[in-house]
Amino acid sequence: MSFRQSVSFFLCLVYLTTNSLVAGVFHHASSATPLGLLPSASSSSSSSSSRRQQQAMWEARAIRECHVTSQQAGLAKNLVRGAFLRIASDLSGGTPLESIKCRVTVTKEDMFQAYRAIVKQDGLLGLWSGTPSRTLEGALLGAVFMLGSTLTKKQVLAMGASKTVAALCAGMVGGVAQSIVMTPAGMIFTSLNVNRGKKGYENDNAITVAKRIIKEKGPLGLYYGVTPMCLRQASNWASRSAFTEIARSTFGMSRYGILGEIGSGVIGGVGSCWNTPIETIRVFMQRDVSLGKKTKTFGAYWDEI
């Protein structure tokens, strides 16, 4: 790709993202209904069709003005959409919950004890410790997932599979792809939380932690825990995507508009929690690396749990 094509591709990213967000805001503002009043199937279908037409218009205009192909535009849209959604989820509540989860796993405190301990030690903003690494992770992670899952879903559907099977395969591929970015970012985040408040680690940040791990373990030290991370992400997103699609299609929740989508997402999220033990093993493995201890096998950590 030439320099001019690269600039055009970047402009397409910005253009599509900005206008998609604007179109979405105006769409929801014009079609909003009072809480508790669900739209009828016909009005929901008409609204959805109108929105698709509007998005198609924005995308066609972006393709013309940025001088990119429709394939490049589709790639740009998936990359930016995934990155934006992941960063938004991390900044709003994902990072604090991840901090609490990490402390609960390592210290055996319950959720409320972990929350009080973090806030007492570092204040309320301590819940957002490791935000830079999480933001970088989110920007890459969301983009990688959206790209991998979208391409996989299209391919599986083209092979004649059902929407549920396509969602299952898409989630699995997207989850494994995420592990490439998520493992080193998770290592840094875990180290920051494990060593929080300890003598000698007062000035730790994402950069100093990464340098220390690379110095002690080499570049591959950032990828300790990649096996449980791959297992966790693949099973998590496969389950989440499949359960969400079942709720959306089989249970017919998609006809209730945005409330139906939210409900489907909740069902998918709850249904994917069965693999928590795999995530616990990942945290234990990365905890030992952060503390300078020798790591164990997957089976040994399972026995420890």
Side-chain angles (χ1 to χ4, degrees), residues 1-17 59 62-81 147 151 154:
M1 184 180 286
S2 66
F3 177 75
R4 181 179 177 181
Q5 288 175 319
S6 299
V7 172
S8 295
F9 186 73
F10 175 76
L11 290 175
C12 187
L13 287 174
V14 177
Y15 201 103
L16 280 172
T17 305
E59 290 174 17
I63 291 172
R64 290 196 306 271
E65 297 189 11
C66 297
H67 306 290
V68 295
T69 65
S70 58
Q71 289 82 1
Q72 289 175 326
L75 174 63
K77 183 173 65 173
N78 286 329
L79 289 174
V80 175
R81 181 185 294 170
L147 180 61
L151 294 177
K154 287 182 178 179

Side-chain angles (χ1 to χ4, degrees), residues 33-264:
T33 57
L35 189 62
L37 297 179
L38 299 177
S40 64
S42 59
S43 64
S44 177
S45 176
S46 175
S47 178
S48 177
S49 176
S50 175
R51 184 181 182 185
R52 284 195 296 269
Q53 291 176 358
Q54 193 174 28
Q55 288 179 335
M57 179 187 70
W58 284 117
E59 290 174 17
R61 183 178 177 184
I63 291 172
R64 290 196 306 271
E65 297 189 11
C66 297
H67 306 290
V68 295
T69 65
S70 58
Q71 289 82 1
Q72 289 175 326
L75 174 63
K77 183 173 65 173
N78 286 329
L79 289 174
V80 175
R81 181 185 294 170
F84 174 81
L85 291 174
R86 177 57 193 243
I87 291 174
S89 68
D90 281 344
L91 294 180
S92 59
T95 300
L97 291 173
E98 187 71 20
S99 295
I100 293 172
K101 182 193 74 175
C102 185
R103 187 177 181 93
V104 167
T105 303
V106 173
T107 64
K108 306 302 181 183
E109 298 172 344
D110 62 36
M111 182 176 69
F112 300 104
Q113 290 172 332
Y115 168 79
R116 286 194 293 266
I118 293 173
V119 172
K120 181 179 179 181
Q121 187 173 327
D122 297 317
L124 191 62
L125 292 180
L127 293 168
W128 276 268
S129 176
T131 292
S133 64
R134 289 280 294 182
T135 302
L136 178 60
E137 172 196 11
L140 298 173
L141 206 61
V144 168
F145 176 79
M146 286 295 290
L147 180 61
S149 62
T150 300
L151 294 177
T152 301
K153 189 171 184 178
K154 287 182 178 179
Q155 186 63 36
V156 174
L157 287 173
M159 294 168 63
S162 67
K163 288 184 177 181
T164 301
V165 172
L168 180 71
C169 295
M172 190 178 298
V173 172
V176 171
Q178 279 186 330
S179 302
I180 300 172
V181 177
M182 200 167 181
T183 303
M187 171 66 75
I188 294 171
F189 188 82
T190 300
S191 180
L192 287 171
N193 280 277
V194 167
N195 294 317
R196 185 198 304 270
K198 293 183 179 179
K199 187 176 181 181
Y201 298 95
E202 296 89 347
N203 298 318
D204 262 7
N205 55 47
I207 296 176
T208 59
V209 169
K211 286 182 177 179
R212 183 170 64 246
I213 294 174
I214 292 174
K215 182 179 179 180
E216 295 175 357
K217 303 286 186 179
L220 292 180
L222 292 171
Y223 281 88
Y224 274 86
V226 68
T227 299
M229 181 67 83
C230 281
L231 290 174
R232 180 243 179 174
Q233 288 303 105
S235 59
N236 178 283
W237 281 106
S239 302
R240 184 189 300 264
S241 299
F243 284 130
T244 300
E245 188 59 42
I246 289 172
R248 182 185 293 132
S249 302
T250 306
F251 296 161
M253 294 180 67
S254 61
R255 67 177 180 269
Y256 298 119
I258 190 170
L259 293 180
E261 292 297 322
I262 292 174
S264 299

